[in-house]
Amino acid sequence: MPSVTSRASAWAASAASDRRAGSRCVGASAARSDFRKPASALTAVEAARLAAILPNPKVWKAINPGPYVAGRTEDIVARMGQVTRDRLDFC
């Protein structure tokens, strides 16, 4: 069974189906362009950062995030922990 981290990485990377938002890459392309690694190699925090910027990836950045994206990232990482703790990662 894949770990929550790998599932989160896969989700964050595929959430936008590798589309472009203006000139900003989202999806699996964002993992490569922002973090210089494949989506499968993202840490939980990196995956959460990609998920956190999805509402507006043209403005928000995964690298050196501002306070708003940093706060969203913390919330997403905390929820990943809840999923593991409550054994909701079976699907």
Side-chain angles (χ1 to χ4, degrees):
M1 175 183 321
S3 70
V4 171
T5 302
S6 65
R7 286 183 188 181
S9 297
W11 177 81
S14 66
S17 299
D18 209 19
R19 292 172 291 164
R20 293 200 174 262
S23 63
R24 178 84 177 103
C25 295
V26 292
S29 295
R32 288 208 183 274
S33 67
D34 287 353
F35 295 108
R36 307 281 187 240
K37 58 176 112 173
S40 61
L42 292 175
T43 67
V45 172
E46 291 167 341
R49 281 187 184 172
L50 288 178
I53 67 168
L54 281 179
N56 197 351
K58 290 172 67 175
V59 175
W60 297 331
K61 306 296 178 229
I63 302 294
N64 299 321
Y68 180 73
V69 172
R72 287 178 53 87
T73 300
E74 289 176 14
D75 290 344
I76 292 167
V77 171
R79 290 178 185 152
M80 286 179 193
Q82 290 172 342
V83 167
T84 302
R85 182 196 70 213
D86 296 342
R87 298 181 183 202
L88 301 173
D89 56 350
F90 60 88
C91 60

